[in-house]
Amino acid sequence: MGEFELIRRYFQFSTAEGDLLELGVGDDCALLNIPPNNQLAVTCDTLVAGVHFPADGPAGLIAHRALRVNLSDLAAMGAEPLGFFLALTLPECDDPWLASFSEGLAFDAARFNCPLMGGDTTRGPLSMTLTALGATPRGQALKRAGAREGERIFVTGCLGDARAGLLCIEEGRASSDLVDRYWQPTPQLTAGILLRNYASAALDISDGLLQDVGHIASASGLEAVIFAEQLPLSKSLLALVGHDKARLWGLSAGDDYELCFSVPAPRVAAMAQALSAAGISVTEIGQMRRPTHSGRAVRCIDAQGRDMIFEAEGYDHFAC
Ligand code: ADP
Ligand code: MG
């Protein structure tokens, strides 16, 4: 099978051309008609085998994770998915692998209403770079900058589960619900769209809460104060590793892809009601404060009101 047959067989599944997608896979470029009065939100994430996912993981699950981490970035901006591009590098043409990768990708593309619009296929060590496109009404995207002093900090869902899922995968305990949280994170697209009406700043937690909330604080010129005891931790996580480690992972492990956002106090009640009506759980975990002379972006406080000090606040590919 040659390159073009491979593309036709495995990556031409999104044929639903319509008002939005005038031309998809098969030409030199895709042609898109962007909805009027919208802004295009564009994000790109690379996943390298052995770095971002276990290289021997099931191909269908690798596909789920690859698309969902990109959709999570759209969610964090309050954008609605339009479609995505896939640059795939493969060591060989492995039909069963490609078939389950393609099936997983097609399933999620349909589920999240995000067609595959094009890409590139090359030979080399297994890695994939996805570019996702989304739309937000002009001027309404949720940025990292924009939080104000006194605002409340929230997260969706629970934190730390994906890290525990990875531990289960590494130890061969495949049946835990935590494993799903690692392979199939839920991009919080509905939450992101609703939060356009309430949040002043937002991001998705990919590298660890403390590090990521620090990005909101820095971009907004503030200090984020996080109350560690308020962190939402799942029963499964607590049962697996106990309170202390669960809390540590909730604070600093990545891969959960929940949203973290800042809301002005007068809008908190309406926000909580809107998200709960949509079946989305949110937890207040901290507050935006005026920066202190310490210059740090994040402070984390324990149940006794003491500052917690960490060696690393999150994942950093180039940490020295
Ligand atoms: P070109 O040489 O003009 O860049 P290619 O031969 O690389 O085009 O690709 C042919 C068509 O197939 C293009 O429409 C491209 O977007 C699409 N394509 C290539 N690889 C993939 C892939 N992995 N997933 C989806 N579409 C792909
Ligand atoms: Mg071309």
Side-chain angles (χ1 to χ4, degrees), residues 3-4 7 11 24-28 86-88 116-121:
E3 178 187 332
F4 301 107
I7 294 166
F11 298 114
V25 171
D27 213 310
D28 292 307
L86 167 68
L88 181 62
L116 177 54
M117 296 176 160
D120 196 22
T121 308

Side-chain angles (χ1 to χ4, degrees), residues 49-114:
V51 178
H52 299 95
F53 59 88
D56 57 357
L61 294 179
I62 295 171
H64 283 298
R65 187 167 149 76
L67 180 52
R68 289 166 181 229
V69 303
N70 275 273
L71 293 178
S72 173
D73 280 321
L74 295 183
M77 297 299 284
E80 216 164 313
L82 295 177
F84 73 104
F85 291 77
L86 167 68
L88 181 62
T89 304
L90 294 167
E92 61 191 329
C93 181
D94 175 344
D95 267 307
W97 192 94
L98 275 161
S100 44
F101 183 77
S102 164
E103 193 184 324
L105 208 56
F107 184 89
D108 270 358
R111 171 175 170 169
F112 295 108
N113 202 12
C114 187

